[in-house]
Amino acid sequence: MNKKEVAHIRKQFKMDHDLLNIYDILNVYITKETNEIYHWERHPFELVDREKQELYMGNFKKLLTGELDQKLFELKFQEQAEEPAQVMLHQALVTGDPEEWQDLMLLLVERMLADAKYERDMVVTFVRGQYYLPTKARNEATEESEKNEVFAHPFILCSVNSTEKQRKTLLFDYVEREFKYNVIVDPVVKLSTPEQGFLYPSVTDNYSDVNRVLYCTGKSNFPDPHFVENVLNGERSVTALEERAIFEDIVKEVAGEQLDSATIAHVYEEINRVIEINEESHEEEPPKLDYKDLERVLTASGVEDLTSEKVERAFETIVDNKNYEMKATSVMPKFTSKSIKIETKVATISVSPQDLRYVKQVNFQGRRCIMIEVDEDVVIEGFTLTTEVL
């Protein structure tokens, strides 16, 4: 599943969209004290109040928002799982009986409660429906209906949301002209910040892939292992944060612990060039780096005494697999939206990757200092710093 496919699905979740049909919604309330299902209810989605529908749509869209391998993870199902979730989900997907679908979803909730303890009351929401994905690139110049170019995809979506107690407030009654204490004790379901969930099935090349599920987490780079492995029976996926750590360890194994800023900047530029070429060629799959690609990147960045064998051994040492491939987008910050943080005891400096070449660590009067090259006067709180000659 790529980001274009995720984005297209996410866009469907809005009111009155003619490419999305939601048939049923099931809400399950779990209390933290008993860790049991306190209440559940199922309704045809079209009979739900419109104001509630809008809240749910916002929740589903928020659940599907985020970067792949950071908040969204496409998971393969474990092959040797007992009572596999894949079988349960597929049966729920194909059944035309709302009650059977409901019972299968409640079994999934029971899996969530096994060997898990929640700090707050939770609400688990399931919907089943159908959305459409394009089967080919759409020609905007034609007047052909978009439905003539799309293919129907039945789906199940799950969103797990926490609750919170309403704050104690003081109200003023205009009619009675008096101040009143707010005594509402009903918990608020935090639909604006879903904790986690999933979309089944996943999508591969615009076709439903019943052998994969898209897991979603509200906390970047921290998927819930219990939900992934025990509830969904999914194989563990490497997060972007973990892949970046792998990349750093391999580079250190090959080039040593210390690199100058110019070399680091060149490494980022070379990897960014790989990403740009991939985007310009409109490749569906994200670019990946194997040991040969990394050798080329490091050689072009000025790292000396490199050989394919040396880089290959580094891959085997760090990940125990010389054929391991890293996603280029995972191992580096994006030039356009993120910066690199240089953290010291006295300050944290943010620098864009392409400007890292202007930052150096120097020894001045026996002390290590960070020197930043600038082409204009530095202004702090309206005051221009004097220029000192070292």
Side-chain angles (χ1 to χ4, degrees):
M1 197 167 193
N2 58 50
K3 62 180 181 181
K4 185 184 296 184
E5 291 165 336
V6 174
H8 187 89
I9 296 171
R10 183 172 61 247
K11 290 178 181 178
Q12 314 303 328
F13 286 93
K14 61 183 178 181
M15 299 296 292
D16 305 319
H17 200 292
D18 62 348
L19 297 181
L20 173 72
N21 295 317
I22 297 180
Y23 307 133
D24 294 283
I25 182 168
L26 171 67
N27 280 309
V28 184
Y29 195 95
I30 300 168
T31 56
K32 66 176 182 179
E33 288 83 6
T34 63
N35 205 46
E36 295 178 348
I37 296 176
Y38 177 76
H39 174 73
W40 62 263
E41 59 183 36
R42 171 179 57 83
H43 300 287
F45 193 74
E46 63 182 0
L47 298 184
V48 175
D49 294 341
R50 186 172 179 84
E51 293 77 11
K52 290 183 180 179
Q53 289 184 4
E54 292 177 347
L55 289 174
Y56 288 127
M57 287 295 189
N59 175 255
F60 303 152
K61 182 171 288 189
K62 185 71 174 180
L63 180 72
L64 297 171
T65 299
E67 295 290 333
L68 290 169
D69 300 319
Q70 295 183 31
K71 298 189 73 173
L72 307 176
F73 299 86
E74 186 181 42
L75 306 176
K76 294 180 180 178
F77 289 105
Q78 300 170 12
E79 294 182 357
Q80 305 300 325
E82 297 182 7
E83 299 180 358
Q86 181 182 8
V87 174
M88 190 183 305
L89 287 169
H90 188 264
Q91 179 61 28
L93 184 73
V94 300
T95 183
D97 183 357
E99 290 191 2
E100 183 181 9
W101 170 77
Q102 158 201 297
D103 293 341
L104 290 168
M105 295 303 96
L106 290 175
L107 287 176
L108 277 181
V109 176
E110 294 291 347
R111 288 189 176 205
M112 290 177 53
L113 299 176
D115 301 320
K117 184 67 177 176
Y118 295 98
E119 297 179 356
R120 299 180 179 180
D121 289 1
M122 306 295 291
V123 175
V124 187
T125 300
F126 297 94
V127 292
R128 69 185 189 101
Q130 184 171 263
Y131 62 84
Y132 296 84
L133 281 178
T135 56
K136 60 181 179 179
R138 186 184 179 199
N139 185 357
E140 299 291 346
T142 68
E143 296 181 357
E144 185 179 11
S145 169
E146 189 176 7
K147 281 191 175 180
N148 293 334
E149 302 178 354
V150 296
F151 190 80
H153 293 255
F155 74 92
I156 296 170
L157 184 141
C158 167
S159 179
V160 181
N161 303 275
S162 63
T163 66
E164 63 181 359
K165 294 181 179 179
Q166 297 195 43
R167 296 179 181 179
K168 299 177 181 180
T169 57
L170 191 66
L171 306 178
F172 180 71
D173 190 327
Y174 275 98
V175 178
E176 300 295 333
R177 297 190 179 186
E178 63 178 348
F179 294 95
K180 293 183 177 180
Y181 176 66
N182 183 4
V183 294
I184 299 175
V185 295
D186 296 333
V188 175
V189 182
K190 299 171 65 177
L191 292 178
S192 60
T193 54
E195 300 278 333
Q196 60 184 338
F198 67 83
L199 174 71
Y200 178 81
S202 182
V203 174
T204 301
D205 295 330
N206 282 351
Y207 291 96
S208 292
D209 188 347
V210 295
N211 296 314
R212 298 170 188 260
V213 59
L214 183 69
Y215 168 76
C216 317
T217 177
K219 191 174 182 182
S220 293
N221 291 297
F222 287 97
D224 181 351
H226 175 265
F227 198 98
V228 168
E229 298 173 18
N230 298 343
V231 179
L232 295 177
N233 299 141
E235 295 182 357
R236 191 183 183 281
S237 179
V238 178
T239 69
L241 190 65
E242 291 170 332
E243 193 138 79
R244 179 166 177 78
I246 290 172
F247 166 76
E248 292 174 354
D249 288 342
I250 290 175
V251 173
K252 290 176 182 177
E253 184 75 16
V254 173
E257 293 283 339
Q258 296 185 345
L259 293 174
D260 59 57
S261 59
T263 301
I264 298 174
H266 279 131
V267 169
Y268 288 136
E269 288 176 353
E270 289 297 322
I271 297 177
N272 187 66
R273 188 173 290 113
V274 172
I275 296 172
E276 288 179 343
I277 292 173
N278 181 267
E279 291 176 348
E280 291 172 359
S281 59
H282 303 290
E283 294 288 339
E284 295 291 340
E285 292 298 319
K288 295 183 179 180
L289 304 172
D290 59 16
Y291 74 90
K292 294 180 180 179
D293 297 320
L294 188 57
E295 179 198 358
R296 181 190 57 78
V297 167
L298 295 178
T299 300
S301 302
V303 178
E304 299 178 349
D305 300 326
L306 272 183
T307 62
S308 296
E309 291 76 15
K310 189 174 183 179
V311 182
E312 184 178 337
R313 283 197 304 271
F315 270 71
E316 291 179 338
T317 300
I318 303 303
V319 293
D320 196 27
N321 182 4
K322 69 177 182 179
N323 296 318
Y324 184 81
E325 294 180 322
M326 299 173 286
K327 289 184 179 179
T329 52
S330 296
V331 303
M332 61 168 298
K334 296 180 181 178
F335 281 29
T336 56
S337 60
K338 295 184 180 180
S339 58
I340 298 171
K341 287 186 178 181
I342 303 173
E343 296 183 354
T344 70
K345 182 173 62 177
V346 297
T348 298
I349 304 168
S350 295
V351 183
S352 61
Q354 66 267 33
D355 292 332
L356 191 60
R357 67 182 72 243
Y358 302 115
V359 180
K360 296 185 183 300
Q361 178 174 281
V362 299
N363 187 304
F364 174 66
Q365 295 181 350
R367 296 184 178 182
R368 281 177 295 184
C369 302
I370 292 178
M371 182 175 69
I372 303 175
E373 179 184 341
V374 296
D375 56 5
E376 56 189 7
D377 288 336
V378 177
V379 179
I380 301 178
E381 297 294 331
F383 297 95
T384 301
L385 289 182
T386 58
T387 300
E388 302 179 28
V389 178
L390 303 181

